Amino acid sequence: MTAQPVASSRRDELLAIAAELFATKGFKNTTVRDIADSAGILSGSLYHHFDSKESMVDEILSTFQDELFGKYSEILAGSADPRAKLEAVVRVSFEAIDQHRNEVAIFQNEADYLGTFDRFAYLADRNQQSRDVWMTLLNEGVSSGALRKDLDIELVYRFIRDTVWVAVRWYRPGAKLSHHDIADQYLTILLDGITS
Amino acid sequence: MTAQPVASSRRDELLAIAAELFATKGFKNTTVRDIADSAGILSGSLYHHFDSKESMVDEILSTFQDELFGKYSEILAGSADPRAKLEAVVRVSFEAIDQHRNEVAIFQNEADYLGTFDRFAYLADRNQQSRDVWMTLLNEGVSSGALRKDLDIELVYRFIRDTVWVAVRWYRPGAKLSHHDIADQYLTILLDGITS
DNA sequence: TAGCCTACCAAGCAAGTGTTTGGTTTGTTA
DNA sequence: TAACAAACCAAACACTTGCTTGGTAGGCTA
């Protein structure tokens, strides 16, 4: 059973195969032999392209994170009002789920554990950076009067963060609702609630 | 480094130790030697109490699920209106996170993968059962006019389910906000939104 | 056509894994 | 005090794991 994802180089191809397996089965549950099998080669041959299994996740996660936080920065640097920026961050996140499903899933499932190793300390940094993005926007929203003042901001932050990213567990591209639709409905619930 | 959770029998004690490790490090990342070390015994001695490492998670998960779904059934069988029942299910769920943090975490992190094995087929059944609970309440809510009609019910269900359970990732008993507080704020956001 | 590079194979190793087996300790009960 | 069971030890086994090593096939280039 060999997979053939679209990728420029053989190296990228193997990374895509690994990402798919890591996302589906988990990092620890995926063996280098699993990856090699899916690629139609022997496990030892992977080491012509990569130093270790760990360096594969490393590259998958860091590449994705760099791209994502680049987009966050652009939004924050823009001139839109707090609420619009908040909406934009939500939409960019759902877009990431749509375009980088495996990477998001790996991050969601493995970051906590991998973060305990020195090599993946940057995951915690990015996490903090992400928190800063959201907290800044939420505090600005409350200050400007756009958001209600009776809620615990820290709690709202966690609520938004988790709800957005956990969607990767069920979202599949090409389904009835596009990631744009989902972002719309999610923002509606978040901003106005589900009561009539 | 030995742990000493409160438990009636040695068997329950060992299960609690295993649950803590499974929740923190993941099932696959936890070795039987890890469990034995935490309990202050040798790995082989675990097999006096359990058939296998798998049967440990099995027992942890099934016991927890039986208890949880018992509570769900009670609520559904009650005479409260849809909105009150919906609130009750949310509160019971946050209570479960408070009282059975490890079990919830294990379920959240491992159910998808474990569910691919015959032995854990009941996890998928419970999942379907849980969906029925929520969808019934949401549909009743829309019918009765309590909830808005312009949202995709299936989507609302997933959002609620995910946001409630994902709280296990950051919630710690004894923190500033109790699980009652969190349920309150969560229901406020869900029902009325965060805008002022 | 000689040299070189990319991608891979074939075979294996050392460490770690879940599990088994036979025996020992300790407390309780008849 | 003899018998018994629960809890555990000590040592090992078979297997899986990530990774290494030396070599090879085939295409490209000078």
Side-chain angles (χ1 to χ4, degrees):
Chain A
M1 192 165 48
T2 65
Q4 294 295 343
V6 195
S8 54
S9 69
R10 181 57 168 157
R11 181 188 169 83
D12 291 344
E13 206 167 283
L14 294 173
L15 269 187
I17 291 173
E20 172 88 34
L21 289 168
F22 290 157
T24 309
K25 307 178 52 175
F27 177 67
K28 192 81 178 190
N29 286 316
T30 302
T31 70
V32 292
R33 284 170 179 80
D34 288 336
I35 302 171
D37 283 352
S38 289
I41 60 178
L42 291 184
S43 66
S45 304
L46 286 173
Y47 292 80
H48 169 71
H49 301 274
F50 307 98
D51 285 343
S52 64
K53 180 186 165 188
E54 233 182 27
S55 74
M56 293 190 214
V57 232
D58 198 341
E59 192 165 333
I60 290 169
L61 286 178
S62 57
T63 303
F64 165 66
Q65 298 245 35
D66 289 348
E67 184 187 327
L68 180 66
F69 278 83
K71 291 181 182 171
Y72 281 172
S73 299
E74 280 182 33
I75 294 171
L76 281 186
S79 57
D81 63 277
R83 174 169 166 157
K85 284 185 179 177
L86 201 140
E87 289 198 26
V89 175
V90 168
R91 293 185 193 283
V92 160
S93 302
F94 276 111
E95 194 181 42
I97 292 177
D98 181 67
Q99 293 171 5
H100 301 286
R101 195 167 88 255
N102 292 332
E103 289 81 351
V104 173
I106 296 170
F107 181 71
Q108 287 300 297
N109 297 330
E110 319 285 348
D112 266 9
Y113 181 66
L114 290 179
T116 62
F117 302 105
D118 287 351
R119 170 165 204 170
F120 295 95
Y122 67 89
L123 291 177
D125 296 341
R126 288 299 198 185
N127 201 39
Q128 177 63 37
Q129 199 179 337
S130 169
R131 182 178 176 281
D132 292 343
V133 170
W134 287 106
M135 291 295 279
T136 300
L137 292 179
L138 288 173
N139 279 315
E140 283 178 15
V142 170
S143 300
S144 74
L147 303 182
R148 52 199 290 178
K149 305 184 190 301
D150 62 330
L151 295 174
D152 185 297
I153 293 291
E154 180 81 28
L155 200 68
V156 173
Y157 150 65
R158 292 196 189 120
F159 174 79
I160 297 178
R161 174 198 62 184
D162 293 342
T163 321
V164 168
W165 291 122
V166 85
V168 75
R169 293 198 175 187
W170 52 263
Y171 175 78
R172 291 296 173 272
K176 190 181 65 179
L177 297 179
S178 73
H179 69 94
H180 295 108
D181 298 331
I182 294 172
D184 285 343
Q185 295 234 1
Y186 172 66
L187 284 166
T188 302
I189 297 175
L190 177 69
L191 297 170
D192 300 325
I194 65 174
T195 52
S196 56
Chain B
M1 192 164 48
T2 66
Q4 294 295 346
V6 195
S8 54
S9 69
R10 182 57 168 155
R11 182 188 168 83
D12 291 343
E13 208 168 281
L14 294 173
L15 269 186
I17 291 172
E20 172 87 34
L21 289 168
F22 290 158
T24 309
K25 307 177 53 175
F27 178 66
K28 192 81 178 191
N29 286 316
T30 303
T31 69
V32 290
R33 283 170 180 80
D34 288 336
I35 302 171
D37 283 351
S38 288
I41 60 177
L42 291 183
S43 66
S45 303
L46 286 173
Y47 292 81
H48 170 70
H49 302 274
F50 307 97
D51 286 343
S52 64
K53 179 186 166 188
E54 233 183 27
S55 75
M56 293 190 215
V57 233
D58 197 342
E59 194 166 332
I60 291 169
L61 287 178
S62 58
T63 302
F64 165 66
Q65 298 245 34
D66 289 348
E67 184 187 327
L68 180 65
F69 279 84
K71 291 181 182 170
Y72 281 173
S73 299
E74 280 182 32
I75 295 171
L76 280 187
S79 56
D81 62 277
R83 175 169 165 158
K85 285 184 179 178
L86 201 140
E87 288 197 27
V89 175
V90 167
R91 292 185 193 284
V92 160
S93 302
F94 278 111
E95 194 182 41
I97 292 177
D98 181 67
Q99 293 170 6
H100 301 286
R101 193 166 91 256
N102 292 332
E103 289 81 352
V104 173
I106 295 170
F107 181 72
Q108 287 300 297
N109 296 331
E110 320 284 348
D112 265 11
Y113 180 65
L114 290 179
T116 61
F117 302 105
D118 287 349
R119 170 166 205 169
F120 295 96
Y122 67 90
L123 291 176
D125 296 341
R126 287 299 198 186
N127 201 40
Q128 177 64 36
Q129 200 179 336
S130 169
R131 182 178 178 281
D132 292 343
V133 171
W134 287 106
M135 290 296 278
T136 300
L137 292 178
L138 288 172
N139 279 315
E140 283 178 16
V142 170
S143 300
S144 73
L147 303 181
R148 52 198 291 178
K149 304 184 191 301
D150 62 330
L151 296 173
D152 184 295
I153 293 292
E154 179 81 29
L155 202 67
V156 173
Y157 150 65
R158 292 196 189 121
F159 276 141
I160 297 179
R161 175 198 62 184
D162 292 343
T163 33
V164 167
W165 291 122
V166 86
V168 76
R169 293 199 174 187
W170 51 263
Y171 175 77
R172 292 295 173 272
K176 191 182 65 178
L177 298 179
S178 73
H179 69 93
H180 296 109
D181 298 332
I182 294 172
D184 285 343
Q185 295 234 2
Y186 171 69
L187 283 166
T188 301
I189 297 174
L190 177 69
L191 296 170
D192 300 325
I194 65 174
T195 52
S196 57

